[in-house]
Amino acid sequence: GRIYLARETLDRYGSLEPRAREQLVRDQIARPHALYDQGVAGIPELRHGRRAIAAAAAMYREILRQIERDGYGRVAGRSVVPRRRKVILAARNVVLPS
């Protein structure tokens, strides 16, 4: 029953009725997507760990995509990325040039 959001964010949406909640989640997801774009662009500049960081970024970003596919919180519970999907994302990053 806990909500970990800034009070001003909650105030901006006025309530957590389904429509407002969906818009809140959409808006909250937009920011990390932009940050992932920035972060991923810098991975080639790393001296070490590019593949591991690229894999982690892909898997964490996939959580956001899963939340989107699950309807932005319309269904109660946690959005989970299936293990098979995680393995595919990790494998894609193993074959990237270092």
Side-chain angles (χ1 to χ4, degrees):
R2 295 182 181 152
I3 299 173
Y4 297 99
L5 293 168
R7 171 59 53 198
E8 65 244 11
T9 300
L10 289 173
D11 291 345
R12 188 175 335 137
Y13 293 92
S15 72
L16 289 180
E17 298 297 322
R19 276 194 186 154
R21 183 178 58 233
E22 181 178 335
Q23 190 57 49
L24 182 147
V25 173
R26 283 178 185 271
D27 291 349
Q28 292 296 301
I29 284 176
R31 184 168 183 256
H33 269 312
L35 293 172
Y36 277 119
D37 289 341
Q38 284 182 298
V40 168
I43 290 174
E45 304 301 318
L46 297 172
R47 293 181 74 199
H48 304 288
R50 287 185 213 126
R51 290 180 178 143
I53 298 213
M59 285 187 261
Y60 278 105
R61 185 174 238 179
E62 191 63 20
I63 294 169
L64 297 175
R65 291 183 176 133
Q66 189 65 47
I67 293 168
E68 293 168 334
R69 284 190 292 270
D70 289 346
Y72 299 94
R74 272 188 238 138
V75 178
R78 188 174 183 165
S79 291
V80 176
V81 177
R83 175 174 271 193
R84 180 175 179 193
R85 181 73 183 137
K86 289 181 201 174
V87 170
I88 290 168
L89 291 168
R92 283 184 185 162
N93 289 284
V94 169
V95 296
L96 289 176
S98 45

